[in-house]
């Protein structure tokens, strides 16, 4: 036995699991520490194939995916997740320093639930994750409804 407790999908030892897919090692570590400080179990990957492997090994409650990855893009990864029967319902926050209207429209088209503009601070990341997992719309979060929440709070 590997020490992993049996738990509902997206949980390890009763804690919700977040998959962070980020190729920048410093940012990946920073996001991991932020989420762990809030009692999330965090799995990490730096590229497309590793992310899909992590999802199969430990299905997350939510995935935070960088748009600019080596080889395949974050858009490609979101599309692959949405096509996978086991993972298609996992909420996805797409993170990027590219935030043109076209990029945001493409994020929505491929199935991202939120688009987080880089650079971002810890409170905003946590707000997005909590909003998607715990908000009143948690069964179907969308980029449009998150934009409304973000602009209402300032």
């Amino acid at each position: 036995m590997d020490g992993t407790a049996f738990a509902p999908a997206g949980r390890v030892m009763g804690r919700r699991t977040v998959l962070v897919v980020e190729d920048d090692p410093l940012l990946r570590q920073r996001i991991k520490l932020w989420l762990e400080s809030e009692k999330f179990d965090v799995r990490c990957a730096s590229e497309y194939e590793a992310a899909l492997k992590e999802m199969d090994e430990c299905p997350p409650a939510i995935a935070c995916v960088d748009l600019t990855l080596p080889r395949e893009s974050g858009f490609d990864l979101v599309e692959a997740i949405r096509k996978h029967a086991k993972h298609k319902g996992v909420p996805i926050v797409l993170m990027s320093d590219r935030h043109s209207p076209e990029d945001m429209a493409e994020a929505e088209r491929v199935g991202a639930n939120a688009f987080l503009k880089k650079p971002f601070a810890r409170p905003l990341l946590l707000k997005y994750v909590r909003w998607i997992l715990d908000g009143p719309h948690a069964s179907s979060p969308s980029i449009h409804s998150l934009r409304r929440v973000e602009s209402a709070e300032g």
Side-chain angles (χ1 to χ4, degrees), residues 108 112-114 131-132 137 140-148:
E108 191 163 10
N113 300 93
W131 181 86
I132 289 172
H137 53 277
S140 60
S142 71
I143 288 175
H144 289 298
S145 55
L146 185 56
R147 280 193 209 136
R148 286 192 299 272

Side-chain angles (χ1 to χ4, degrees), residues 2-104:
D2 65 1
T4 302
F6 291 101
R11 290 185 180 264
V12 173
M13 301 292 287
R15 292 170 33 167
R16 290 186 287 191
T17 302
V18 179
L19 174 62
V20 175
V21 185
E22 171 61 62
D23 61 318
D24 177 328
L26 295 175
L27 182 55
R28 186 173 58 243
Q29 183 63 20
R30 180 178 308 136
I31 293 169
K32 181 178 190 294
L33 292 172
W34 288 346
L35 292 166
E36 286 176 339
S37 74
E38 296 296 316
K39 307 300 182 218
F40 287 100
D41 179 64
V42 182
R43 307 289 295 238
C44 293
S46 61
E47 48 87 30
Y48 179 96
E49 290 297 330
L52 293 176
K53 183 178 179 200
E54 281 291 337
M55 289 196 79
D56 284 337
E57 290 176 4
C58 186
I62 189 169
C64 298
V65 177
D66 182 25
L67 175 57
T68 309
L69 297 171
R71 294 175 292 283
E72 295 89 351
S73 73
F75 291 140
D76 296 328
L77 180 56
V78 173
E79 282 186 311
I81 292 167
R82 292 294 176 240
K83 290 177 183 174
H84 193 289
K86 183 177 173 185
H87 306 307
K88 66 182 178 182
V90 172
I92 301 169
V93 176
L94 200 56
M95 309 176 295
S96 180
D97 54 1
R98 293 175 23 198
H99 32 81
S100 69
E102 294 81 14
D103 288 327
M104 295 176 86

